[in-house]
């Protein structure tokens, strides 16, 4: 697949006119408290979606929700423990009951740990990353699979890393966890596909692949840095919104590169 950053038709990178595909949609964002989460909440809100955000950090979550609400959009935040399958299911059920539908789950829960060499890998890092990068994907996907299918045009979106395809010696635990999360998401996609053999799936699961993410604040702090191959969080948010402008069958089961593919 060639490098691409899909964007909604009729919009600009700064978030111009909202695509009709998201008007009235209900989109949940897991891990919404970080820079990528803040950018995604704002972009979805500008695109006309009702946004339901969750994060373990209540303070960071509140900052992102407040910023996204500035334009009058419906944006709510919940502190949810996504390491608990029961909490994830309760969040999904509450969202569907309150808003009548669920059209998307964006998985932005992240974390990184690494080492100077393969021999120095600390398996305690695997334990942490297993929970952050795999368990949260398992719990959100199992909780939201049925609501997304009932919505009729749902999207489950995992943001992954290029390192999952080409792991380096010091990133064994991180790359392995990301690869497992991708495999899990693509299995979800196969489940959606099998519900409508030969037809349009009721929902689609996809993986957006980045090398790393960059923000304007990072650029300001390091004006001489090139950040080559990095994806700006605003471009990531645009790419996420663009997933609803394409037929579900074209999105489901794909790995879409937002950085040059190794």
């Amino acid at each position: 697949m060639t490098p691409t950053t899909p964007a909604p038709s009729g919009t600009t990178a700064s978030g111009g006119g909202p695509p009709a595909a998201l008007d009235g949609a209900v989109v949940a964002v897991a891990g919404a408290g970080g820079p990528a989460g803040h950018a995604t909440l704002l972009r979805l809100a500008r695109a006309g979606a009702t946004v339901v955000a969750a994060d373990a950090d209540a303070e960071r979550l509140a900052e992102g929700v407040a910023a996204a609400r500035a334009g009058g959009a419906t944006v709510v935040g919940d502190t949810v423990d996504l390491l608990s399958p029961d909490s994830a299911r309760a969040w999904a059920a509450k969202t569907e009951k309150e808003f009548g539908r669920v059209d998307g789950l964006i998985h932005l829960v992240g974390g990184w740990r690494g080492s100077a060499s393969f021999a120095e890998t600390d398996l305690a890092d695997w334990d942490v990353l297993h929970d952050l990068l795999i368990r949260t994907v398992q719990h959100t996907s199992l909780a939201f699979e049925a609501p997304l299918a009932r919505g009729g045009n749902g999207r489950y979106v995992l943001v992954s890393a290029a390192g999952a395809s080409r792991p380096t010696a010091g990133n064994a635990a991180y790359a392995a966890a990301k690869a497992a999360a991708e495999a899990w998401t693509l299995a979800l996609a196969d489940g959606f596909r099998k519900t409508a053999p030969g037809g349009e799936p009721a929902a689609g699961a996809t993986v957006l692949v980045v090398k790393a993410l960059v923000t304007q604040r990072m650029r300001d702090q390091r004006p001489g840095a090139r950040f080559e191959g990095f994806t700006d969080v605003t471009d990531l948010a645009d790419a996420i919104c663009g997933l609803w402008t394409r037929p579900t069958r074209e999105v489901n089961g794909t790995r879409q590169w937002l950085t040059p593919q190794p």
Side-chain angles (χ1 to χ4, degrees):
M1 184 178 296
T2 57
T4 179
T5 303
S9 58
T11 68
T12 64
S14 60
L22 280 172
D23 283 344
V26 178
V27 182
V29 181
H38 288 191
T40 300
L41 296 183
L42 183 60
R43 186 66 185 88
L44 288 166
R46 286 177 174 173
T50 292
V51 189
V52 183
D55 199 276
D57 188 319
E59 184 176 348
R60 294 198 312 167
L61 176 62
E63 292 175 2
V65 169
R69 281 177 177 167
T74 300
V75 184
V76 299
D78 288 314
T79 303
V80 180
D81 179 11
L82 294 177
L83 291 179
S84 163
D86 291 338
S87 294
R89 289 186 184 277
W91 181 42
K94 176 185 175 183
T95 300
E96 187 176 29
K97 181 178 180 180
E98 183 171 348
F99 298 103
R101 59 187 298 117
V102 180
D103 299 287
L105 185 289
I106 315 302
H107 189 279
L108 297 174
V109 181
W112 178 85
R113 291 198 177 187
S115 57
S117 68
F118 182 81
E120 295 173 270
T121 298
D122 185 347
L123 289 180
D125 291 346
W126 168 258
D127 294 336
V128 172
L129 294 173
H130 173 267
D131 280 349
L132 287 175
L133 305 183
I134 303 174
R135 281 297 187 193
T136 58
V137 171
Q138 293 173 328
H139 295 165
T140 55
S141 60
L142 289 169
F144 280 88
E145 178 195 18
L148 289 173
R150 283 192 289 267
N153 192 36
R155 301 286 185 270
Y156 184 96
V157 185
L158 173 72
V159 177
S160 189
S165 300
R166 184 172 288 183
T168 56
N171 275 322
Y174 177 76
K178 280 293 191 183
E182 289 191 12
W184 188 274
T185 301
L186 296 178
L188 171 64
D190 189 54
F192 286 141
R193 185 181 300 111
K194 287 178 177 177
T195 63
E200 190 79 12
T206 188
V207 178
L208 299 183
V209 185
V210 302
K211 176 181 178 180
L213 295 172
V214 64
T215 66
Q216 188 57 51
R217 181 179 181 183
M218 292 167 62
R219 297 185 194 278
D220 292 342
Q221 291 174 338
R222 300 175 59 192
R226 296 179 61 190
F227 298 103
E228 187 174 356
F230 285 33
T231 300
D232 194 283
V233 292
T234 59
D235 292 330
L236 172 65
D238 283 344
I240 289 169
C241 284
L243 295 171
W244 280 269
T245 67
R246 299 160 55 192
T248 305
R249 64 182 178 278
E250 293 183 8
V251 173
N252 190 45
T254 60
R255 298 174 76 242
Q256 303 184 45
W257 288 78
L258 308 186
T259 187
Q261 186 172 353

